[in-house]
Amino acid sequence: MASDLPRIAVIGTGGTISSLGNSSLDVLDYPDFGQKLTSEGLIERFPETRLVADPLPVTLRQVGSTAIGPADWLDLRALVHRLAKDEPGLAGFVIPHGTATLEETAFFLNLTLAVAQPVVLVGAQRPASALGTDAGMNLVAALRVAGSPQAHGKGVLVVLNDEIHAARDVVKTSTYRLQTFRSFDFGALGQVDGDGPHFYRAPLRAHMPDTPWAGHDLTELPRVDIVYSYAGADGALVEAAVAAGARGIVSAGFAPGMATAAQRDQLERAARSGVVVVQCSRAASGRVAPRRRLRELGFVAGEDLSPQKARILLMLMLTTTADPAAIQAAFQAY
């Protein structure tokens, strides 16, 4: 191993990338019946990682990403900050993560981290033990991106399938296919080829470390629920969210951002009671514009954020304000 390889912290959280199934053909049952490697074990399984970086393995979780939520985001954020302080020679961070909630963890970190080094989330669609697994190559690619000078100043990145995506834009689109992560409207930032990472564009929306939350001592996040629209949906789920103590509700409405009449009635009632309502779309791409009707109702237009990412931004905004105008401005900034 060359002494000049970049020192990269590899913070393991679990997920398919770290999973071992019962056989090389087990690509279905491993989440329930397999095991998950530590960060150390994952690096040992793919020793080629040490050809492109000097990894510092740290294990935070060994779980599927369906088990990861806001409390884990806060722990992960605190760990990144602690490592950045205690290991000043770190060139970057790689976070192996399950793909189910990877985009949500990435977006939260994109809005809240206060580190200058590149942060890259990486996952896999096939477990590390599978025939034709993508775990090893994805991990190597993520390490190469995290150690690249080109990765600086672009916010949190997501690397899978030889593509580099912005945390804000990327969504998971397929349950099993390797090309699952896509940035529909704007495309990938770049690619990772045999000769290293190549960037072709950069995100313009504000991101870490230049956000107000980067300097905040976040210890908990307020409850925000997502209510999905479908033909004939009534307002029961909106009522349930309010009764459960939601301070905000994201409406995953029909494109271009409209709930059913029954849902809208309950959303209006919730807004009048002080619950912040963000109107998004269940469509895969496109934005919800701040049109006149939404402004009159006091609803926030979710722009082009997916409902799950709009929830994260709303949670963060609610730590300081419940003013719909201020929250609308944040949706247009981030």
Side-chain angles (χ1 to χ4, degrees):
M1 182 180 67
S3 60
D4 59 348
L5 290 176
R7 181 75 160 158
I8 307 293
V10 181
I11 304 175
T13 65
T16 294
I17 192 171
S18 68
S19 294
L20 300 179
N22 292 325
S23 75
S24 62
L25 295 182
D26 177 10
V27 293
L28 292 178
D29 295 324
Y30 66 89
D32 302 305
F33 303 103
Q35 59 176 300
K36 289 179 174 60
L37 297 169
T38 63
S39 184
E40 294 88 342
L42 180 61
I43 291 169
E44 289 174 5
R45 190 169 186 91
F46 299 107
E48 294 87 353
T49 54
R50 298 189 182 276
L51 299 177
V52 298
D54 175 18
L56 171 64
V58 182
T59 300
L60 177 67
R61 299 281 188 273
Q62 289 174 260
V63 298
S65 67
T66 55
I68 290 180
D72 304 283
W73 299 340
L74 293 170
D75 289 345
L76 180 56
R77 175 182 184 255
L79 177 56
V80 171
H81 286 166
R82 185 166 69 250
L83 287 171
K85 179 181 178 181
D86 295 345
E87 301 282 344
L90 286 175
F93 298 85
V94 166
I95 303 173
H97 194 289
T99 57
T101 59
L102 185 151
E103 66 202 71
E104 293 172 71
T105 299
F107 188 54
F108 172 80
L109 295 176
N110 190 59
L111 293 176
T112 63
L113 284 178
V115 298
Q117 299 96 323
V119 177
V120 178
L121 272 77
V122 61
Q125 287 291 82
R126 297 172 183 165
S129 56
L131 179 68
T133 180
D134 54 330
M137 282 300 291
N138 284 351
L139 184 57
V140 167
L143 287 165
R144 297 177 85 177
V145 171
S148 169
Q150 290 181 295
H152 285 262
K154 295 181 175 63
V156 172
L157 303 172
V158 172
V159 173
L160 285 92
N161 200 40
D162 299 333
E163 293 181 340
I164 308 166
H165 291 269
R168 182 191 184 277
D169 302 332
V170 74
V171 293
K172 185 176 181 181
T173 66
S174 173
T175 52
Y176 297 130
R177 304 289 78 83
L178 300 189
Q179 69 276 21
T180 182
F181 280 94
R182 288 282 185 260
S183 298
F184 280 120
D185 285 336
F186 311 116
L189 300 182
Q191 300 169 337
V192 187
D193 291 328
D195 56 347
H198 298 272
F199 286 86
Y200 297 96
R201 71 177 187 92
L204 293 179
R205 293 293 180 105
H207 51 69
M208 59 77 78
D210 301 317
T211 73
W213 303 288
H216 288 184
D217 182 19
L218 298 172
T219 57
E220 62 179 344
L221 297 170
R223 179 178 182 129
V224 173
D225 289 311
I226 299 173
V227 176
Y228 196 88
S229 292
Y230 50 89
D234 61 21
L237 295 180
V238 178
E239 292 182 272
V242 174
R247 291 181 54 197
I249 296 174
V250 175
S251 169
F254 306 107
M258 302 173 69
T260 66
Q263 287 177 323
R264 188 171 61 250
D265 288 343
Q266 290 301 323
L267 289 169
E268 289 179 32
R269 180 177 298 180
R272 289 194 297 270
S273 72
V275 176
V276 178
V277 176
V278 174
Q279 184 62 63
C280 288
S281 168
R282 71 182 198 182
S285 65
R287 64 187 285 262
V288 175
R291 59 185 186 274
R292 174 184 169 185
R293 181 60 171 164
L294 295 180
R295 295 195 302 271
E296 290 176 347
L297 293 174
F299 290 6
V300 174
E303 290 289 325
D304 65 314
L305 290 178
S306 65
Q308 58 269 30
K309 289 184 182 176
R311 171 180 175 254
I312 293 167
L313 180 52
L314 179 55
M315 293 167 83
L316 290 169
M317 285 300 297
L318 286 171
T319 62
T320 58
T321 183
D323 176 20
I327 294 172
Q328 183 67 75
F331 270 79
Q332 293 172 312
Y334 299 101

